[in-house]
Amino acid sequence: MNSAELRARTQEFKKIVPTEITITRWEHSLKVAEIAKELAIIHSKEDADLAYLAGIVHDITKQKTPEFHLTLFRESGQAELEKLPSAAWHAYSAAIYLKTQYNLKQETILSAVRNHTLGAETPGPLDLILYASDFLGSEYAETNSLYPEWREQARKNLYQGVLCKAKNTMEDLIASGKKIHPKTILTYNLAVSKC
């Protein structure tokens, strides 16, 4: 996707995404997009405009019904995704939906969208950026007293941002007695090894 196409797709999705989610979720997506763009500029990992678009679209199916996700998985021949924790369904359904419904075929964006909740075994640069940005753009992070420290850590070392999300996710899952997905553990371990 060249720069002109990227700008055009971004403008298109800035009109589409708010029709698919609530205003609160849209505000989150805008925050995530801005943080992703900033982290891409700082860390020179990916085109900043590509990171911004990934932030805009990452939660497009977040508020869909369980039936929506399951139907999309089955119709796309990926019924095995039903076995994922339901809290992560939206990440995988969003990648399918963006590709099939809106013809977004930029694999780096689709990968980042797929991996922004659970993490990834071998994340690419945009996967890392969106994973950290999704956490830093969350209400939970923004209202936490450690937020300025987390944000500064992510600016200094992208893996610190990834570590913040993986650690907080695992602590929350442990506190609520839920399983931790292997991808989240791998993401945590990767971030620890890079910090």
Side-chain angles (χ1 to χ4, degrees):
M1 192 179 323
N2 65 39
S3 295
E5 291 171 331
L6 184 54
R7 283 192 301 274
R9 291 308 313 258
T10 300
Q11 290 310 309
E12 176 188 354
F13 280 110
K14 284 178 97 171
K15 293 175 184 170
I16 291 168
V17 176
T19 69
E20 299 273 4
I21 56 179
T22 64
I23 187 65
T24 305
R25 182 57 43 184
W26 173 235
E27 289 168 356
H28 162 73
S29 296
L30 287 171
K31 287 177 196 170
V32 171
E34 288 295 338
I35 295 167
K37 184 175 183 175
E38 176 193 32
L39 292 178
I41 290 168
I42 292 170
H43 298 291
S44 301
K45 299 284 187 184
E46 284 288 339
D47 181 283
D49 292 331
L50 205 62
Y52 183 84
L53 178 55
I56 290 294
V57 301
H58 80 285
D59 270 350
I60 194 167
T61 61
K62 174 81 173 179
Q63 296 170 314
K64 303 293 187 189
T65 65
E67 294 76 25
F68 173 91
H69 303 296
L70 296 174
T71 299
L72 202 55
F73 296 156
R74 291 172 192 147
E75 288 178 352
S76 66
Q78 299 178 66
E80 72 279 0
L81 295 175
E82 295 176 24
K83 296 175 185 171
L84 292 170
S86 59
W89 284 352
H90 75 282
Y92 290 84
S93 68
I96 297 166
Y97 191 61
L98 289 164
K99 188 173 185 176
T100 59
Q101 183 70 23
Y102 294 112
N103 200 34
L104 181 62
K105 296 185 178 173
Q106 181 80 32
E107 186 49 41
T108 52
I109 292 176
L110 298 177
S111 175
V113 168
R114 266 192 303 275
N115 295 317
H116 83 269
T117 302
L118 295 178
E121 293 174 39
T122 53
L126 190 56
D127 294 313
L128 297 170
I129 288 168
L130 189 60
Y131 186 83
S133 300
D134 184 48
F135 174 69
L136 293 170
S138 69
E139 183 180 355
Y140 169 80
E142 288 184 321
T143 57
N144 193 295
S145 62
L146 293 173
Y147 183 72
E149 181 182 333
W150 290 339
R151 190 81 187 260
E152 189 55 33
Q153 287 175 344
R155 288 180 179 127
K156 288 180 181 174
N157 180 342
L158 180 58
Y159 286 99
Q160 284 285 358
V162 171
L163 182 61
C164 281
K165 178 170 181 172
K167 182 180 176 189
N168 279 279
T169 298
M170 292 194 308
E171 287 173 352
D172 181 56
L173 291 169
I174 290 166
S176 59
K178 295 179 180 172
K179 291 181 182 178
I180 300 172
H181 195 275
K183 285 186 178 183
T184 305
I185 296 170
L186 289 168
T187 301
Y188 172 83
N189 287 338
L190 172 67
V192 168
S193 73
K194 300 287 187 176
C195 290

